[in-house]
Amino acid sequence: MIYLRQLVRQQHSASALPAEVRRLLGKPLRRSTPLAQLAVAGVFASLPDAALGMPLAMIWQSSTGLQAETLVILDEVCNASCEPMPYDFLACQPAMVAAQINALLPSLQTTSHLPLEDASHCQWGTSLALASLWLQEGRYPQVLCGCLEITDNLARGDWLLLATSPGDTPLATMHQSDSAASETVTDSPDFPARLEILLAQPAGSDRRLRLQSPALPKLTVEFAR
Amino acid sequence: MSAMRPVFLHDGALVCSRGLTPAATAEALWRGDAASTQCRVGQQSFPFQALPLPEAGWWEHAQTAFRHLAGQLPDLPDDLPLFLASSSFDIGGIEAGGAPFSLPAGSAAFACQIGEWLGLSGPRSSYANACISGFSALDAAATLIANGLIDDALVLGFELANRTTMAGFASMELLSRDASRPLDRDRDGLVLGEGIAAIRLSATPSEWRLAGLRTGLDTHTPTGPDPSGGPIAALLAETLAAAGMSSGDIDLVKLQAAGSPVSDLAEAMALMQVFGQTLPPLLSLKPALGHTLGASGIVELVALLACLKHDQIPETSGFRHADTQFSTVFPVHRSTRPIRRPMLNLIGFGGGLASMILEREA
């Protein structure tokens, strides 16, 4: 059985991110991009204390990625025609997000970043299917799936923590589904909001929500309260 | 859970500095070809393993390279799931557009263009985990096939020349000024390269089975692993366990080793911890192909399989003198010994680790 342990939905002004990180960690996160700060804040908001030391895998997606940082490096390399500042190059590498989280959370075992083709395109179906299979295989006891976007001054993050153990209060169960009986949503940025509505139903409710990727119907997963 | 299906490798396609097909690449590797071009960054010049294509603008260069790749692939169903891996995507094309730079709507928008060039309009997912991107994509595709959620997939790695990556690596002082010398006493950095490769994964049997693949993290520093090799050794042990094998079953290791002072040391230390004093033959393809970063997992996989098709293990160009810190760890000379169970390693910028074991079916 796979359990949904947490659904965390973040929305901050980019300028408020450092304070949010300091609130969660008790210290500032230095030399980090807004995307890395959003990721760190999301990871620590999603993991209950008892889960912090347990091996964790993370699958995260983003369409905007490190756009502002990429523009900085492009300007340095192409307009100044010289070597960029090393930090500026590191800052535009998505892999550095994982490095910053791992420095604070040694139980993070692996991460995979799925960049998106545009803001309307999501990989929740693939992310949740992979998480589910890794959990069933016994690779990891918990997998955190996230979607992070930073546009203008707005930083948004949606996170689902899935685990093989229910913890104290699991929010829902998740399983692969080929049933057509329940409410179905397609893979889109709205999916976390739809899941949030399901979770607002009383525990024991028979409401279910299926996430379906039309091009890959076997990846369909169903959440039940 | 239901029993997992075996996953097999089919139909490799490759465009790299050593040739425009896997067969041409294998021949060049066996000859020991490793000549490079030069790439300027400001006042400095670095070797670079460029594709052997006529000079052209970035977009024309990319399209020509993908046309060569597509020409090697068999007819594929247009709804075949496509898993893409890169660490730079179309940054070279954005550079070519000039200032003010216009970024695409999504950082993987180029994947859509690649799908069109290959005639594949089915589901796509992209993976950007620095140098281990290729194995991240393979892992995702193989996991879905093994569990029966898809039956086939095309996994594609690509890395095309761009100033941003070259200048960034130069700024980090990670590049050699003359050559890549994996595991050598005098190694002094990487040589970057460009390459595109694709391999089809399937539940249908073929000569090579994907026996085990695991990814991990070693964020000792942002650009280099723990020099003790401990986290890498742990990942290799995990991969062996996933494959149901012991270290004695491995008869070749395709190294990550790129000539980096720290990463080569860490990989050598890890190999000694896992294999003890009896190491299998070791090989690095990076002196000849360049480090193709996010594409390297797939580029080196397809190149290796092309070599093993003729039971040829090429020499590791650039290696001359063993390092006294790990004097028992050095690349094999050319060999024609048949290989049944190779291990392939990747160590990434930002701490990514990956290892894969293949098994040749009897």
Side-chain angles (χ1 to χ4, degrees), chain A residues 4-180:
Chain A
L4 174 66
R5 297 276 302 272
Q6 291 278 356
L7 169 67
V8 169
R9 308 200 66 207
Q10 307 164 278
Q11 185 161 311
H12 307 282
S13 68
S15 56
L17 272 173
E20 176 64 7
V21 170
R22 193 180 304 117
R23 184 184 71 78
L24 286 161
L25 301 183
K27 61 182 180 183
L29 190 60
R30 298 193 190 283
R31 295 186 75 81
S32 62
T33 61
L35 191 71
Q37 294 185 44
L38 180 64
V40 165
V43 168
F44 279 87
S46 300
L47 291 174
D49 287 347
L52 285 171
M54 290 170 58
L56 172 74
M58 186 175 109
I59 303 171
W60 64 285
Q61 53 186 308
S62 177
S63 67
T64 52
L66 292 151
Q67 282 187 335
E69 294 77 9
T70 302
L71 288 170
V72 168
I73 198 84
L74 281 166
D75 184 56
E76 288 183 32
V77 169
C78 298
N79 292 345
S81 294
C82 61
E83 289 180 11
M85 296 298 290
Y87 171 76
D88 291 341
F89 180 64
L90 286 175
C92 72
Q93 303 298 314
M96 298 311 299
V97 172
Q100 291 208 299
I101 297 169
N102 192 220
L104 298 161
L105 188 70
S107 58
L108 181 63
Q109 306 287 298
T110 192
T111 67
S112 193
H113 169 48
L114 283 70
L116 303 176
E117 296 180 16
D118 59 52
S120 66
H121 175 255
C122 271
Q123 293 285 359
W124 283 112
T126 300
S127 300
L128 294 174
L130 287 174
S132 169
L133 297 170
W134 288 353
L135 290 165
Q136 289 175 52
E137 288 175 17
R139 281 204 212 184
Y140 313 101
Q142 51 182 357
V143 181
L144 187 57
C145 297
C147 183
L148 309 182
E149 301 293 0
I150 295 189
T151 49
D152 298 326
N153 192 37
L154 189 64
R156 288 183 295 110
D158 292 310
W159 298 89
L160 277 70
L161 178 65
L162 301 164
T164 48
S165 72
D168 293 336
T169 51
L171 302 178
T173 57
M174 185 187 88
H175 63 271
Q176 261 123 23
S177 167
D178 53 9
S179 141

